[in-house]
Amino acid sequence: MTDSQAFLDDITWTTEGLVPAIAQDAATGEILMMAWMNREALALTAENGVAVYWSRSRKKLWRKGESSGHTQKVKEVKLDCDADVIILVIEQLGGIACHTGRRSCFYRTLKDGQWQENSAVIKDPKEIYS
């Protein structure tokens, strides 16, 4: 590890070596998604200014937008007071952060004990991931 990566030691990683990362729109403050990062993902994100996450299901690095084209340009990386959550302040290229084709992954709101969709699909995922 280089001195430029010493910041990684300041993070409280889970027992699996992960930290939750929240993507927040730089212009609006809207929370767009949450994903996981390992040390390599965070180091690459900090180095290149483009969001890289760890896919728990695929067990590999996931460069946001690698298949959809909806990359996240990172403007700022923030660490919370307990050093166990990252916020990536980002510019969402293509306007879609969610694999469902919506702007945000947080498109459901609890009302009267039921989840109600509050955001329309911008682009059919079949068109995005063909």
Side-chain angles (χ1 to χ4, degrees):
M1 178 172 47
T2 65
D3 287 338
S4 64
Q5 293 181 345
F7 70 92
L8 296 169
D9 293 333
D10 296 331
I11 295 170
T12 304
W13 302 93
T14 67
T15 56
E16 295 84 18
L18 303 174
V19 66
I22 298 166
Q24 180 182 35
D25 187 273
T28 67
E30 179 183 13
I31 301 299
L32 299 179
M33 59 174 277
M34 179 274 177
W36 295 93
M37 298 179 113
N38 63 8
R39 291 176 73 94
E40 185 179 5
L42 183 53
L44 287 168
T45 297
E47 182 180 325
N48 299 318
V50 177
V52 178
Y53 300 104
W54 175 257
S55 172
R56 294 182 304 165
S57 60
R58 293 176 281 170
K59 306 277 190 253
K60 67 175 196 169
L61 289 176
W62 159 41
R63 287 167 172 76
K64 179 67 176 156
E66 65 190 348
S67 57
S68 68
H70 301 138
T71 59
Q72 294 175 340
K73 185 175 179 185
V74 178
K75 305 287 189 177
E76 195 171 22
V77 179
K78 296 182 178 186
L79 181 63
D80 80 322
C81 59
D82 293 325
D84 63 359
V85 178
I86 299 287
I87 292 180
L88 301 179
V89 181
I90 58 105
E91 176 187 350
Q92 180 63 58
L93 302 179
I96 297 173
C98 185
H99 74 281
T100 66
R102 292 174 174 85
R103 173 160 172 71
S104 171
C105 293
F106 298 97
Y107 62 89
R108 294 177 279 201
T109 303
L110 184 62
K111 291 188 181 175
D112 300 322
Q114 301 287 319
W115 293 109
Q116 297 180 5
E117 292 186 6
N118 60 29
S119 177
V121 172
I122 296 170
K123 190 170 187 177
D124 186 332
K126 292 175 189 157
E127 295 175 30
I128 298 170
Y129 304 102
S130 54

